[in-house]
């Protein structure tokens, strides 16, 4: 641990950085030196050939220095146990509408000269129509929220399929299972989490990040690496339900989204329009269903 106040300890755990701070228990109490743990924030650039660059502010929780790559034909390449950077890249490409299927990818690889960059090649980049490119996307930034998304379907979204049903009694176990795997939050209190669950109501993948968008993209990407698709699945979120989170669900065909916090009005409108079952304030035995409750089975 550094003795210089505010200096970052590079030997800290993955996803967590130790810093020197000063703590005050009250206005009349003496200020004391205090060792704090905060969530790590780094930049990761996705270089998509013939499309553009996307720089994401993210929280790496696995070793990004190891050689790692992915092709649809060969799967994950390299010895990395949790290819988190690859997962974020895949989830981002899918939820941004850059690809609709994994076989649209030619290759994805961490740059050997710069682990903070992931290079992505598409098989048919000329067919891709993107809403934004060559941008820096911060930890809380998503797409804008114009009414045209609903009124004119400006993003070209399709109706979500209807194959998934979930028992009301499964809400709490899903939330508990995701919460149990939030190691970065346990240490810092500063990260979001997202989980993907399958038709059996069991969690397939969990991810954490300082940004709720990144957490969802990571979880989608990890599930894609396991089963090739998240169609017919659902998501659990530790965050609020904003418009861009629901758009990601629609683009990846996630049928049910459970969140611990509230939705926004546009998020509800998009969920109702494109067929997502949206449940907010999922805490203990409580839940509020805002759209398409027919997928939820009561006891």
């Amino acid at each position: 641990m550094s003795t210089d106040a505010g200096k970052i300890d590079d030997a800290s755990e993955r996803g967590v950085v130790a810093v020197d701070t000063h703590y005050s228990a009250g206005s009349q109490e003496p200020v004391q030196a205090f060792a704090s743990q905060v969530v790590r924030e780094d930049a990761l650039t996705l270089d998509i050939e013939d499309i553009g660059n996307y720089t994401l502010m993210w929280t790496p929780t696995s070793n990004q220095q190891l050689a790692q790559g992915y092709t649809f034909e060969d799967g994950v390449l390299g010895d990395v146990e949790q290819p988190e950077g690859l997962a974020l890249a895949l989830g981002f490409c899918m939820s941004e509408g850059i690809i609709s299927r994994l076989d649209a990818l030619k290759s994805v690889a961490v740059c050997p000269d710069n682990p903070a960059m992931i290079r992505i090649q598409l098989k048919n980049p000329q067919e891709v129509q993107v809403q934004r490119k060559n941008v820096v996307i911060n930890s809380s930034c998503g797409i804008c929220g114009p009414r045209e998304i609903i009124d004119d379907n400006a993003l070209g979204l399709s109706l979500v399929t209807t194959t998934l049903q979930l028992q009301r009694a499964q809400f709490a176990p899903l939330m508990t299972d995701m919460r149990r795997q939030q190691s970065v939050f346990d240490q810092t209190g500063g990260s979001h989490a997202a989980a993907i669950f399958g038709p059996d109501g069991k969690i397939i993948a969990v991810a954490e990040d300082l940004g709720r968008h990144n957490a969802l993209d990571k979880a989608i990407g990890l599930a894609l690496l396991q089963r090739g698709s998240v169609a017919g699945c659902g998501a659990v979120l530790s965050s609020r339900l904003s418009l861009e989170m629901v758009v990601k669900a629609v683009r990846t065909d996630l049928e049910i989204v459970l969140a611990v916090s509230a939705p926004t009005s546009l998020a509800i409108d998009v969920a109702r329009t494109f067929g997502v079952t949206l449940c907010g304030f999922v805490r203990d035995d409580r839940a509020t269903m805002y759209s398409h409750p027919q997928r939820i089975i009561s006891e």
Side-chain angles (χ1 to χ4, degrees):
M1 183 71 178
S2 168
T3 57
D4 297 327
K7 185 176 179 181
I8 294 175
D9 182 357
D10 292 330
S12 58
E13 296 183 42
R14 294 172 186 170
V16 178
V17 174
V19 296
D20 290 339
T21 61
H22 291 86
Y23 174 71
S24 173
S27 60
Q28 304 302 316
E29 299 294 328
V31 174
Q32 299 178 338
F34 185 72
S36 296
Q37 292 179 312
V38 298
V39 65
R40 182 178 171 188
E41 182 173 21
D42 279 333
L44 180 70
T45 297
L46 309 183
D47 179 12
I48 307 177
E49 189 175 64
D50 296 325
I51 300 296
N53 293 330
Y54 299 82
T55 298
L56 314 177
M57 303 311 297
W58 78 312
T59 301
T61 63
S62 62
N63 191 345
Q64 191 71 4
Q65 304 290 327
L66 298 175
Q68 51 191 292
Y70 172 85
T71 67
F72 181 74
E73 292 75 17
D74 300 319
V76 176
L77 305 170
D79 298 326
V80 62
E81 192 170 307
Q82 183 89 333
E84 184 182 36
L86 300 181
L88 176 55
L90 294 179
F92 180 84
C93 286
M94 186 77 75
S95 68
E96 278 284 315
I98 296 170
I99 62 172
S100 59
R101 306 180 316 278
L102 283 182
D103 60 6
L105 293 167
K106 186 176 181 181
S107 67
V108 182
V110 173
C111 178
D113 300 322
N114 181 9
M117 176 175 287
I118 294 181
R119 300 193 184 279
I120 302 168
Q121 293 180 308
L122 306 179
K123 291 180 179 177
N124 298 295
Q126 70 279 0
E127 297 178 0
V128 176
Q129 295 183 345
V130 294
Q131 299 294 317
R132 54 182 177 173
K133 58 183 178 180
N134 298 325
V135 295
V136 176
I137 302 173
N138 66 35
S139 60
S140 62
C141 175
I143 60 172
C144 300
R147 291 295 310 179
E148 287 80 4
I149 293 176
I150 299 168
D151 298 338
D152 302 324
N153 194 12
L155 298 181
L157 303 176
S158 300
L159 282 174
V160 171
T161 56
T162 303
T163 60
L164 180 63
Q165 288 190 317
L166 191 67
Q167 292 186 4
R168 177 66 188 81
Q170 292 175 287
F171 284 22
L174 282 167
M175 281 290 179
T176 299
D177 195 6
M178 180 182 71
R179 178 67 187 87
R180 181 178 55 82
Q181 299 184 59
Q182 290 181 246
S183 60
V184 176
F185 181 84
D186 287 340
Q187 297 173 79
T188 68
S191 64
H192 286 295
I196 304 298
F197 63 89
D200 60 356
K202 303 295 183 182
I203 284 182
I204 299 168
V206 177
E208 286 185 277
D209 200 277
L210 62 95
R212 62 184 186 274
H213 312 91
N214 289 347
L216 180 55
D217 283 341
K218 282 182 185 179
I220 290 170
L222 291 170
L224 288 173
L225 290 173
Q226 290 187 45
R227 65 200 305 271
S229 170
V230 293
C233 294
V236 185
L237 308 176
S238 70
S239 62
R240 65 185 175 91
L241 283 162
S242 55
L243 167 68
E244 58 271 25
M245 300 293 275
V246 177
V247 169
K248 287 178 181 293
V250 175
R251 278 179 167 151
T252 53
D253 211 21
L254 291 169
E255 298 187 30
I256 299 174
V257 181
L258 311 178
V260 72
S261 193
T264 64
S265 60
L266 272 176
I268 296 170
D269 289 346
V270 169
R272 289 175 176 174
T273 301
F274 295 101
V276 177
T277 298
L278 210 59
C279 301
F281 297 109
V282 180
R283 304 171 186 175
D284 300 322
D285 288 331
R286 295 174 291 157
T288 303
M289 288 169 274
Y290 294 91
S291 59
H292 301 282
Q294 67 274 11
R295 290 192 181 93
I296 308 305
I297 305 170
S298 299
E299 294 77 10

